[in-house]
Amino acid sequence: MDDETRDESDVVFEVRDLEVTFGTDRGESKVVRNVDLDIRRNETLGIVGESGSGKSMLSSTLMNAVVEPGETSGEVTYYPPDDREPISVLDLSESELREFRWEEVSMVFQGAMSSFNPVKRVRGHFKETLEDHNRDVDAGMERARGILEDLYLDPERVLSSYPYELSGGMKQRALIALSLVLEPEVLVMDEPTAALDLLMQRSIISLLRDLKEAYDLTIIFITHDLPLLTKLADRLVVMYAFDVVEMGDTQDILYHAAHPYTRMLLQATPDLNVPVDEMRSVEGNKPDPVVRIPGCSYHPRCPMADESCKQEEPPMVERSPGHRTSCFYHDEVDEAMPLRSDGEGSR
Ligand SMILES: Nc1ncnc2c1ncn2[C@@H]1O[C@H](COP(=O)(O)OP(=O)(O)OP(=O)(O)O)[C@@H](O)[C@H]1O
């Protein structure tokens, strides 16, 4: 079904004309450009792109949490699961935002390891979160124990520990439990497994699949680790140069990637079981958020680019239902940049 014709009850976030800008000495720095996106209820949406492409900025806007002095414009509408009115996230006051964050949408940030206060036991973090949101602490702690157990942690041991007494994987799971204690609808995870070893990454991914079912969650997972994402996400959003260049079902993107950049990402991934640090990086210079080049932002690195790509910006088009891309030559990409055995090598 087309994103725009989709029944509203299926959509948890509707993002329109979204832009994030920073004023800099060199001029205006646009780090998210004109993004339109629907996030479906109870899906796992993966946002992928190289470092600095705008993934974290885009996801921060879902909680109106872009750091100062960044300016967010456009619309971010959140649809609660019940009969409540839709919420215009960018119009929320500070006190409304404090409730909205954690209770509706919870975020596990990049560098999660430092999210715990080192001098406070884990139990204190849970209690403080419950108290700050005027929740019944006893009931909340009972729920916390259940979530920790679901994450294969010993609740009493973890709750009575200081953060430094836990291993990286345990700390990460404790943080996920903390982010779920106020029963949010949406969990946003920004590179949550980046600091973990491969085995722990895989185990967190499988835990997230179970959690999503058990707690009826929508998960937004941000990473530059495409192999990891293909094991978790129902749909993928590919970002390049502060904009979305392709989105669609994970299988469609894996086997029928329509944008040359997505194909480059897939080709840079020799085998989707290979750790990310063994992947080759995509060649070429990184885009600059201050300098908007004419035409398609990917043309300087694109093997298929011609004169029109240098002059005109390609519009986002629907290639097949729900599969969109912004490339003039999406119909020719199969022939020009074939995927290994039609995607077989990418499994
Ligand atoms: N506080 C800030 N002020 C100005 N520009 C910023 C700020 N934080 C990030 N940026 C810029 O915004 C752009 C997008 O950054 P963002 O963190 O969203 O990228 P990302 O895709 O999440 O990268 P990574 O995977 O490395 O986290 C980058 O060019 C970055 O330099």
Side-chain angles (χ1 to χ4, degrees), residues 148-149 152-159 170:
L148 288 165
E149 265 173 19
Y152 299 100
L153 292 169
D154 172 351
E156 291 317 320
R157 186 184 152 206
V158 169
L159 290 171
M170 288 168 89

Side-chain angles (χ1 to χ4, degrees), residues 122-188:
V122 174
R123 184 190 315 281
H125 292 83
F126 278 88
K127 280 193 168 165
E128 188 181 77
T129 304
L130 291 161
E131 282 162 4
D132 282 354
H133 290 260
N134 301 316
R135 295 292 184 95
D136 182 302
V137 173
D138 289 340
M141 289 310 292
E142 200 45 47
R143 194 165 50 250
R145 285 187 200 92
I147 303 170
L148 288 165
E149 265 173 19
D150 286 346
L151 286 160
Y152 299 100
L153 292 169
D154 172 351
E156 291 317 320
R157 186 184 152 206
V158 169
L159 290 171
S160 58
S161 297
Y162 286 100
Y164 69 85
E165 292 176 312
L166 303 176
S167 70
M170 288 168 89
K171 227 181 310 192
Q172 187 60 287
R173 281 179 286 160
L175 200 68
I176 294 171
L178 182 62
S179 70
L180 293 179
V181 77
L182 297 181
E183 304 167 282
E185 295 297 318
V186 181
L187 184 60
V188 181

Side-chain angles (χ1 to χ4, degrees), residues 22 31 50-57 67 110 191 224 242 289:
F22 286 86
V31 298
E50 66 193 347
S51 179
S53 56
K55 308 182 294 294
S56 302
M57 287 290 166
V67 288
Q110 210 164 11
E191 297 277 4
H224 54 263
F242 328 107

Side-chain angles (χ1 to χ4, degrees), residues 16-295:
R16 294 290 178 270
D17 300 323
L18 185 76
E19 300 213 321
V20 178
T21 42
F22 286 86
T24 74
D25 295 348
R26 293 194 298 133
E28 188 179 74
S29 171
K30 200 159 271 190
V31 298
V32 175
R33 284 197 176 120
N34 202 20
V35 168
D36 286 346
L37 175 66
D38 283 356
I39 300 174
R40 300 173 188 165
R41 203 178 301 285
N42 296 128
E43 74 173 339
T44 299
L45 181 74
I47 304 183
V48 68
E50 66 193 347
S51 179
S53 56
K55 308 182 294 294
S56 302
M57 287 290 166
L58 171 61
S59 57
S60 304
T61 65
L62 300 177
M63 301 170 84
N64 197 0
V66 166
V67 288
E68 295 276 341
E71 299 253 348
T72 310
S73 67
E75 286 168 43
V76 176
T77 311
Y78 169 74
Y79 293 91
D82 31 46
D83 291 337
R84 282 178 294 151
E85 288 293 303
I87 294 172
S88 175
V89 178
L90 301 183
D91 295 327
L92 292 178
S93 65
E94 273 307 312
S95 66
E96 288 167 330
L97 269 177
R98 267 195 296 279
E99 266 177 51
F100 181 74
R101 297 174 185 155
W102 292 89
E103 296 191 21
E104 305 287 350
V105 182
S106 197
M107 190 152 181
V108 177
F109 281 102
Q110 210 164 11
M113 302 310 164
S114 54
S115 299
F116 282 117
N117 177 345
V119 295
K120 191 184 275 190
R121 288 183 206 272
V122 174
R123 184 190 315 281
H125 292 83
F126 278 88
K127 280 193 168 165
E128 188 181 77
T129 304
L130 291 161
E131 282 162 4
D132 282 354
H133 290 260
N134 301 316
R135 295 292 184 95
D136 182 302
V137 173
D138 289 340
M141 289 310 292
E142 200 45 47
R143 194 165 50 250
R145 285 187 200 92
I147 303 170
L148 288 165
E149 265 173 19
D150 286 346
L151 286 160
Y152 299 100
L153 292 169
D154 172 351
E156 291 317 320
R157 186 184 152 206
V158 169
L159 290 171
S160 58
S161 297
Y162 286 100
Y164 69 85
E165 292 176 312
L166 303 176
S167 70
M170 288 168 89
K171 227 181 310 192
Q172 187 60 287
R173 281 179 286 160
L175 200 68
I176 294 171
L178 182 62
S179 70
L180 293 179
V181 77
L182 297 181
E183 304 167 282
E185 295 297 318
V186 181
L187 184 60
V188 181
M189 312 193 82
D190 192 345
E191 297 277 4
T193 59
L196 303 176
D197 65 42
L198 199 63
L199 206 62
M200 187 48 73
Q201 284 186 3
R202 300 293 182 220
S203 97
I204 297 255
I205 293 303
S206 109
L207 282 173
L208 284 179
R209 277 201 218 103
D210 297 345
L211 282 185
K212 175 175 169 271
E213 294 309 316
Y215 294 90
D216 224 8
L217 291 167
T218 303
I219 296 182
I220 300 162
F221 196 102
I222 298 138
T223 181
H224 54 263
D225 191 341
L226 186 55
L228 194 77
L229 216 42
T230 59
K231 296 186 164 50
L232 178 73
D234 303 308
R235 283 199 309 145
L236 294 178
V237 166
V238 183
M239 288 194 78
Y240 182 78
F242 328 107
D243 201 354
V244 173
V245 296
E246 181 160 7
M247 66 175 98
D249 290 345
T250 301
Q251 295 305 309
D252 276 344
I253 293 201
L254 257 183
Y255 296 104
H256 309 287
H259 196 283
Y261 175 62
T262 314
R263 294 229 164 195
M264 289 278 274
L265 277 183
L266 288 167
Q267 306 291 28
T269 309
D271 175 340
L272 288 187
N273 291 311
V274 165
V276 70
D277 52 7
E278 288 174 26
M279 282 167 50
R280 278 177 290 130
S281 63
V282 177
E283 284 167 19
N285 288 332
K286 277 196 179 170
D288 182 341
V290 179
V291 184
R292 174 77 182 98
I293 58 164

